[in-house]
Amino acid sequence: MDSETPVTDPLLEQFLAGLARQQGSPHTLNNYRRDLEQFLRHLLGTGFQPEWGSLSRKQIRHYLACRHQQGLSPRSIQRHLSSIRSFLNFLQQERLLSINPADGLRAPKAGQLLPKPVDIDQLQGLLDQPRGAKEGGEPVIVVRDQAILELLYGCGLRLAELVSLDLNAVDFTQQQLRVMGKGRKERFSPLGRKAAVALKAWLSVRSQWLKDNQEVAVFISQRGRRITPAAVQQRVAKAGQQAGMTDRLHPHRLRHSYASHLLESSGDLRGVQELLGHADISSTQIYTRLDYQHLAQVYDKAHPRARRKKNQNNEG
């Protein structure tokens, strides 16, 4: 079957509708729809009729193998398998499947991507640099972008969390934000002094762009509507260029930097897990892989056996 041939299935649509009510993230929903429609298209191309009760483990394994042969990365295959497993769990709950044939299946192991945090001094330069003159003298956009940068780094927000932030989620008295994370899991993020100052400055001029008083989004565009993820990515990248960064700056890199810098300073893995809103601590442990040279220097300075060896060498 052609990869562009539209496919549909009433149970698939029912699953996606339920997911929309639970998740709320358009990006997540689009991923589920794309993955599952590709899976259904593959099955139809092999002669399978959507009688889900007859779906076998072998058919799922064959689909994953085909995707692997087509060059799909292990990480993407893992996501496809996760989407399929979730859909089949739904069918199980609806008593249309007695067992989930995707349970126990494993995708090819993906190499874990280590975060690349921005150097602290570089970040200080980014956040403290004057941007007004470079923006053609437009103060509102400068004030808004400063608040965006401060919240991404100062609160460790995901891009989707920043974009979905509403006015009633901001509490300057308690110095915190109420953040809606993945799976609509709510958490409270401390609002640091500089982030609070930048956010207050933005909220004081936000009305200049407001077209509808019913708009509750914290961050809006010049059209007065909730800012889009693409617009945030563009503005963050531009700020990085203006700060002289050679690598592209993106919102998730600021979150990486928030996590890495916190963990380096505190060593509190559980605390950083809570602040990031990670459901599983294994997601947070990636930040413990600090640069080996840094660890070697700490060892040389602090470990008594290392110091003793150095002293013996000096004596010899």
Side-chain angles (χ1 to χ4, degrees), residues 1 33 37 57 62 73 91 130 174 181 184 191 200 223 237 239 262 269 271 289 291-292 295 297:
M1 178 176 289
R33 177 176 290 280
E37 284 182 351
R57 191 181 185 85
H62 179 257
S73 71
L91 295 182
Q174 298 295 322
R184 300 196 64 79
L191 187 63
K200 284 180 180 178
R223 295 181 178 181
L262 266 180
L269 190 64
R289 299 188 179 187
D291 180 72
Y292 177 78
L295 294 178
Q297 290 171 7

Side-chain angles (χ1 to χ4, degrees), residues 3 7 12 31 52 58 66 84 105 131 148-149 167 186 191 199 204 217 226 229 245-246 276 280 292 309 313:
S3 62
V7 293
L12 178 57
N31 281 341
W52 295 105
K58 183 179 179 181
C66 288
I84 293 168
L105 281 181
R131 273 184 285 273
I148 286 174
L149 292 168
L167 294 171
E186 188 178 87
L191 187 63
L199 187 54
S204 71
R226 187 182 297 272
M245 294 183 180
T246 53
L276 288 171
D280 191 330
Y292 177 78
K309 182 179 179 181
N313 288 343

Side-chain angles (χ1 to χ4, degrees), residues 151 155-166 168-170 176-182 184-191 255 274-277:
L151 262 62
C155 301
L157 300 185
R158 297 179 176 95
L159 175 59
E161 293 169 349
L162 178 101
V163 169
S164 64
L165 203 62
D166 289 340
N168 62 9
V170 181
Q176 64 184 16
L177 300 175
R178 190 177 71 253
V179 180
M180 192 63 72
K182 286 186 175 180
R184 300 196 64 79
K185 184 181 176 183
E186 188 178 87
R187 73 178 188 278
F188 288 91
S189 176
L191 187 63
R255 177 173 157 88
E274 289 294 320
L275 289 168
L276 288 171

Side-chain angles (χ1 to χ4, degrees), residues 120 258-268 272 290 294:
I120 292 178
Y258 165 87
S260 297
H261 297 162
L262 266 180
L263 196 56
E264 285 177 22
S265 300
S266 69
D268 186 349
V272 174
L290 303 177
H294 169 72

Side-chain angles (χ1 to χ4, degrees), residues 28 32-33 59 82 91 97 99 101 107 130 135 178 234 250 253 290 295 298:
T28 301
Y32 270 100
R33 177 176 290 280
Q59 287 170 304
S82 176
L91 295 182
L97 280 178
I99 60 169
E135 294 289 349
R178 190 177 71 253
Q234 182 184 46
H250 50 81
R253 195 172 172 209
L290 303 177
L295 294 178
V298 171

Side-chain angles (χ1 to χ4, degrees), residues 191-259:
L191 187 63
R193 181 179 59 84
K194 291 202 172 184
V197 168
L199 187 54
K200 284 180 180 178
W202 157 242
L203 293 178
S204 71
V205 298
R206 174 179 173 274
S207 60
Q208 295 184 37
W209 283 354
L210 202 59
K211 303 290 192 298
D212 180 0
N213 289 330
Q214 301 300 312
E215 178 58 72
V216 297
V218 169
F219 291 107
I220 60 176
S221 68
Q222 295 183 55
R223 295 181 178 181
R225 303 187 189 118
R226 187 182 297 272
I227 197 170
T228 65
V232 174
Q233 290 171 325
Q234 182 184 46
R235 299 304 300 174
V236 169
K238 185 168 185 177
Q241 290 174 346
Q242 291 175 346
M245 294 183 180
T246 53
D247 295 334
R248 181 179 173 84
L249 187 66
H250 50 81
H252 206 63
R253 195 172 172 209
L254 290 172
R255 177 173 157 88
H256 279 325
S257 302
Y258 165 87

